[in-house]
Amino acid sequence: MRRALAMAGVAVALAVIPAGPASAHVGGGPEPSNYAAVITSVSRVVPGLDVSLSADGERLRVTNDGAGELLVPGYSDEPYLRIEADGVQRNTRSPATYLNVSLSGDTELPPEADPSAAPEWTSVSDTPTYEWHDHRTHWMGSQLPPAVQADPTAEHLIASWEVPLVYDGQPMLVAGTLTWYPPPSSLPSTVLGVGLIVVGLAVAGRARWQRPLVVLLGLAVVAEAGHLATSPVPAESPVYAVTAAALPTVVAALLTWASWRSVRGGPARWCTWRVSPAGWSCCRVCPT
């Protein structure tokens, strides 16, 4: 019994430790990032106009509920988007139409992409809101920025960026910054995991702690399963990533279940568990 509980404790600890800051994510939701982008200023205050940015700077979102017309220039200052209260139109001749499809911006441009050509507008939304990858607001390199490579443990200002807008013919500017924040230390989660192992080994042999310990292990498994279920699946090798991340939790769940069966099949079958000031106790004939 003690060996089964100890194995379950070790397995749960190993499942919980990777859930620290450096863990891989494998479910739904936004992917984690060490980059943080913020809007620091908008040069004009326009009623009904709202500009926001995703936390990592990868997506810019604009809503124009006002009475005027908002134009968003592309990377060569050509018309890219036209946002009005009744919807959004996109210029099919703008290279940004195709470059913004991917986060890396490495899309091959079709022949019709010509920033000097007259705009050809097509409707892309019936609402006054549009969101897109704007490559001016996030890090475009496939490698970490040089400053981060030199010292990944320090905070770095990667860039100060600007996105031009034109509202009713009047230019305006959205400005912001992109900053790298180092990942938090994994030491606290490692210490916690080691502590769980030590505590599990220390109390697993005590009969009155066996059931509470198994219950705690079960709760830890449920919590880790919830963490996995709410984490995003990586685009590359998703089956391998999900399997590798979920395997420790599955093993821990099986060992916890086996420990619970062992507890129920042991003293609990012939005695009654009671809670006393001294803790959990087992008695064959319990006082009423």
Side-chain angles (χ1 to χ4, degrees), residues 52-63:
S52 59
L53 191 67
S54 63
D56 53 12
E58 293 179 356
R59 302 190 71 86
L60 190 64
R61 180 184 178 93
V62 174
T63 297

Side-chain angles (χ1 to χ4, degrees), residues 92-218:
T92 59
R93 304 302 299 273
S94 168
T97 294
Y98 310 96
L99 295 174
N100 291 350
V101 170
S102 69
L103 187 60
S104 60
D106 56 0
T107 305
E108 183 177 352
L109 295 178
E112 60 266 26
D114 182 0
S116 61
E120 294 183 7
W121 299 104
T122 181
S123 177
V124 292
S125 176
D126 294 329
T127 69
T129 298
Y130 196 72
E131 182 177 293
W132 70 96
H133 289 302
D134 198 299
H135 303 308
R136 291 165 284 209
T137 64
H138 68 93
W139 176 248
M140 291 289 293
S142 58
Q143 303 294 326
L144 291 174
V148 176
Q149 294 185 40
D151 185 6
T153 63
E155 177 183 327
H156 298 281
L157 176 64
I158 303 303
S160 296
W161 52 264
E162 294 179 342
V163 175
L165 302 175
V166 180
Y167 191 86
D168 271 352
Q170 298 298 316
M172 56 185 298
L173 204 62
V174 179
T177 59
L178 178 66
T179 305
W180 162 275
Y181 291 97
S185 172
S186 60
L187 181 61
S189 59
T190 302
V191 171
L192 175 61
V194 173
L196 288 175
I197 295 174
V198 172
V199 172
L201 292 174
V203 305
R206 301 176 182 271
R208 67 180 183 180
W209 287 106
Q210 288 176 355
R211 279 199 174 188
L213 179 59
V214 174
V215 171
L216 289 176
L217 294 177

